[in-house]
Amino acid sequence: MSWALLLGLLGALLLLLLLSRRRTRRPGEPPLDLGSIPWLGHALEFGKDAASFLTRMKKKHGDIFTVRVGGRYVTVLLDPHSYDAVVWQPRTKLDFHTYAVFLMERIFDVQLPHSSPGDEKAKMKPTLHRDLQALTDAMYTNLLTVLLGDTTEEAGGWREMGLLDFSYSCLLRAGYLTLYGVEALPRTQESQAQDRAHSADVFHTFRQLDLLLPKLARGSLSVGDKDRACQVKDRLWKLLSPARLATRAHRSRWLESYLLHLEETGVAEAMQARAMVLQLWATQGNMGPAAFWLLLFLLKNPEALAAVRGELEQLLSRAEQPISQMTTLPQKVLDSMPVLDSVLSESLRLTAAPFITREVVVDLALPMADGREFSLRRGDRLLLFPFLSPQKDPEIYTDPEVFKYNRFLNSDGSEKKDFYKDGKRLKSYSLPWGAGHNQCVGKAYAINSIKQFVFLVLGHFELELINPDVEIPEFDLSRYGFGLMQPEHDVPVRYRVRP
Ligand code: HEM
């Protein structure tokens, strides 16, 4: 036997030993479930349908357990009363950046060695909060450009398309124009036509990348997909290059500040373009799918649609101008839509499924709200999945799978905020926007934008399902963890401008 063969055999034996070395549960640790496949553990089931897998594990082990997933040990916490003990922990104990930085690089090829996501967030948050009214006004104008511009080009009559395509393209295009700027100010018919064409190009290119996202994140692209992903990224980097963005008018303060931050931290132009694409996804990847589910639930629930329409008609009857002449929706008006607020909360409860993850930096004790305490091991990962609990928890919500448009309304029409588990009132009863250090910085702007979109669609258009009996589609199961779920397939609708 040659030395090379002998060494090879020894190496294989060592690898086998390492792979089959079993971790055992220490006293005080959560229940441990290794799965049957060495090293991989439960990776396949987890990747295929995380919600079903974690539901099964919860039934078996309760609301805290550790599973092996692709060589990593992940402790899953599903008790919403105990989430606060995790989401506000400092980075020195539970790190919330490592995984984000890993995904940033793997999906978007972004490396920003001299900038920490925490600093970046602290800098960018005020630009979205302080400028909320300006952003909301710009969004209204851009939604009108995209929504009404496209339909006038169709010369009236019904237009057919998929509801996801319609909602996603309108919100992403208007959102892109709002944050990244428009062709020219003051707007002309020609500049608006250019805004429509350019934003449509950005949307269609972005959407191709968006569809590959789960595979990109898991590193499971086929050779063909890899080529496609490279081409699409290349095109997006060109579309969103700093040189190209420099020519745009009415850019948001958010964009100005972010570009300045990148320059100040010494990021090269090519890397700035990549960061711009990452930000396009962070800021625009959820609103379209959220609006899709909301409109679909309304179209499938006539009582809910009538209640929302009734609320909007009341607002319009008190307004000084007819909807055709409105140029903004003041915050005061946006804040007086309790029925639409409830519909939005209910839609997000049913369809928002982000993972909240932390790397365990030091061995530590995790206190649970019921008084139990569990030891967490350094090097493991901690995962909260609010989609299962509180959002789909039958103890908190009766018929949790059913869309009830008034679930978040009290009988006097005010917002319902009291929900209970184990007889105790919940602080957070739905977490579509993340929590603690991971809270979405664009929440207020996103809520305003989605409400404006629904207001404009219902106010300006007749919108109907092509097949009123169509079933609500299943989720694309590969998207658990990334934010809003997307449907397995689109739902055909038709719409036309109200006569
Ligand atoms: C329905 C719409 C939206 C939902 C459900 C949503 C949800 C979320 C969630 C769950 C996170 C945390 C992700 C994580 O850290 O793992 C997040 C982060 C973020 N969101 Fe949103 N988002 C929405 C819209 C927006 C909009 C419109 C903007 C900006 C204009 C925005 C800006 C951001 C940014 C910049 C982050 C990263 C914050 C950080 O550095 O931690 N989001 N969002």
Side-chain angles (χ1 to χ4, degrees):
M1 190 185 289
S2 75
W3 278 108
L5 191 60
L6 193 66
L7 276 175
L9 273 175
L10 273 173
L13 205 68
L14 199 70
L15 191 69
L16 207 71
L17 267 172
L18 276 175
L19 290 181
S20 55
R21 219 185 64 186
R22 292 176 75 83
R23 164 161 157 165
T24 50
R25 182 183 178 189
R26 293 182 192 149
E29 286 187 340
L32 176 67
D33 203 310
L34 296 172
S36 51
I37 313 174
W39 192 79
L40 271 182
H42 289 289
L44 300 179
E45 298 153 275
F46 192 100
K48 204 168 148 208
D49 180 352
S52 299
F53 166 66
L54 294 175
T55 303
R56 200 157 54 73
M57 287 289 120
K58 181 172 154 65
K59 276 200 189 114
K60 188 169 167 193
H61 299 296
D63 46 23
I64 183 164
F65 49 86
T66 301
V67 286
R68 182 167 54 178
V69 181
R72 292 293 310 263
Y73 293 92
V74 182
T75 296
V76 182
L77 174 65
L78 296 171
D79 168 31
H81 283 306
S82 302
Y83 287 172
D84 255 11
V86 170
V87 295
W88 289 113
Q89 282 287 339
R91 266 185 81 193
T92 45
K93 289 185 177 169
L94 293 174
D95 181 79
F96 39 92
H97 288 166
T98 314
Y99 190 58
V101 169
F102 164 77
L103 283 183
M104 235 161 75
E105 191 171 338
R106 180 173 253 191
I107 303 176
F108 296 99
D109 308 274
V110 171
Q111 285 166 310
L112 305 173
H114 305 298
S115 165
S116 96
D119 298 344
E120 200 179 291
K121 189 170 179 167
K123 263 193 193 168
M124 303 314 301
K125 204 170 160 181
T127 65
L128 291 170
H129 289 198
R130 260 191 249 131
D131 274 2
L132 181 61
Q133 192 57 54
L135 286 170
T136 303
D137 289 350
M139 187 69 180
Y140 191 89
T141 310
N142 290 320
L143 277 169
L144 281 177
T145 300
V146 170
L147 271 167
L148 297 180
D150 281 355
T151 46
T152 45
E153 278 162 18
E154 288 288 310
W158 288 102
R159 187 171 183 198
E160 294 189 5
M161 71 191 291
L163 183 60
L164 177 67
D165 202 20
F166 171 68
S167 313
Y168 210 167
S169 98
C170 287
L171 274 160
L172 186 137
R173 290 165 67 197
Y176 165 74
L177 294 170
T178 302
L179 291 181
Y180 291 74
V182 294
E183 192 63 32
L185 270 190
R187 290 175 171 84
T188 60
Q189 282 203 345
E190 199 195 356
S191 79
Q192 282 179 301
Q194 279 169 337
D195 278 338
R196 279 192 289 279
H198 173 61
S199 63
D201 191 4
V202 171
F203 171 69
H204 291 303
T205 317
F206 166 86
R207 185 71 178 123
Q208 294 174 54
L209 183 65
D210 185 37
L211 287 166
L212 292 172
L213 201 108
K215 283 189 183 168
L216 261 167
R218 295 193 181 103
S220 61
L221 289 177
S222 66
V223 179
D225 284 345
K226 267 188 196 149
D227 290 346
R228 187 87 210 107
C230 281
Q231 283 166 12
V232 173
K233 282 186 202 176
D234 212 46
R235 173 106 183 91
L236 279 171
W237 294 335
K238 288 197 176 92
L239 283 170
L240 270 63
S241 69
R244 210 161 165 182
L245 291 178
T247 64
R248 304 191 65 72
H250 201 39
R251 308 190 314 174
S252 66
R253 198 158 317 160
W254 170 82
L255 183 81
E256 303 277 357
S257 310
Y258 191 59
L259 282 169
L260 188 67
H261 167 74
L262 293 177
E263 267 169 38
E264 281 173 357
T265 46
V267 179
E269 284 223 351
M271 189 55 76
Q272 288 184 25
R274 295 176 183 202
M276 284 296 130
V277 176
L278 159 70
Q279 292 298 333
L280 184 70
W281 177 72
T283 60
Q284 309 301 325
N286 283 318
M287 281 199 294
F292 158 78
W293 292 112
L294 189 158
L295 285 179
L296 182 59
F297 289 136
L298 287 185
L299 291 172
K300 290 294 295 173
N301 291 273
E303 194 195 343
L305 183 56
V308 172
R309 273 196 201 291
E311 183 170 79
L312 298 186
E313 274 158 21
Q314 238 182 27
L315 286 175
L316 283 170
S317 70
R318 289 201 297 267
E320 283 155 21
Q321 309 131 309
I323 188 168
S324 56
Q325 285 168 25
M326 284 186 178
T327 52
T328 64
L329 262 187
Q331 192 65 47
K332 207 168 61 191
V333 179
L334 285 164
D335 287 343
S336 45
M337 301 179 178
V339 178
L340 184 52
D341 282 328
S342 175
V343 167
L344 176 58
S345 300
E346 177 68 339
S347 306
L348 292 176
R349 178 185 74 79
L350 286 164
T351 59
F355 288 154
I356 298 177
T357 49
R358 296 287 187 272
E359 302 296 322
V360 183
V361 182
V362 287
D363 289 345
L364 60 90
L366 176 71
M368 300 277 285
D370 61 7
R372 287 176 299 163
E373 192 172 87
F374 289 96
S375 310
L376 300 183
R377 270 195 225 186
R378 182 166 70 96
D380 287 357
R381 183 171 288 161
L382 187 58
L383 170 72
L384 318 186
F385 193 35
F387 179 71
L388 286 192
S389 187
Q391 289 165 224
K392 290 286 196 85
D393 192 328
E395 208 192 316
I396 302 166
Y397 298 105
T398 42
D399 306 325
E401 301 296 332
V402 179
F403 171 84
K404 296 187 180 176
Y405 81 93
N406 52 2
R407 204 186 277 277
F408 294 93
L409 280 178
N410 289 314
S411 51
D412 66 357
S414 59
E415 184 187 352
K416 180 172 163 60
K417 294 177 179 172
D418 53 328
F419 293 89
Y420 295 83
K421 184 171 169 72
D422 302 326
K424 250 173 62 189
R425 187 170 169 176
L426 283 156
K427 194 171 157 208
S428 306
Y429 41 87
S430 188
L431 292 103
W433 310 98
H437 299 296
N438 294 78
Q439 176 91 338
C440 173
V441 290
K443 177 180 168 185
Y445 164 67
I447 292 176
N448 281 355
S449 299
I450 295 169
K451 286 166 76 174
Q452 286 181 320
F453 173 68
V454 175
F455 174 85
L456 288 172
V457 169
L458 297 184
H460 282 284
F461 298 127
E462 287 174 19
L463 170 75
E464 31 186 77
L465 293 166
I466 288 180
N467 170 11
D469 298 326
V470 69
E471 299 265 328
I472 291 186
E474 297 293 323
F475 287 156
D476 167 356
L477 300 176
S478 68
R479 295 197 82 100
Y480 282 119
F482 294 103
L484 253 289
M485 295 303 284
Q486 294 188 14
E488 217 179 17
H489 55 79
D490 210 342
V491 178
V493 289
R494 59 180 195 160
Y495 67 96
R496 66 175 175 188
V497 177
R498 283 186 181 283

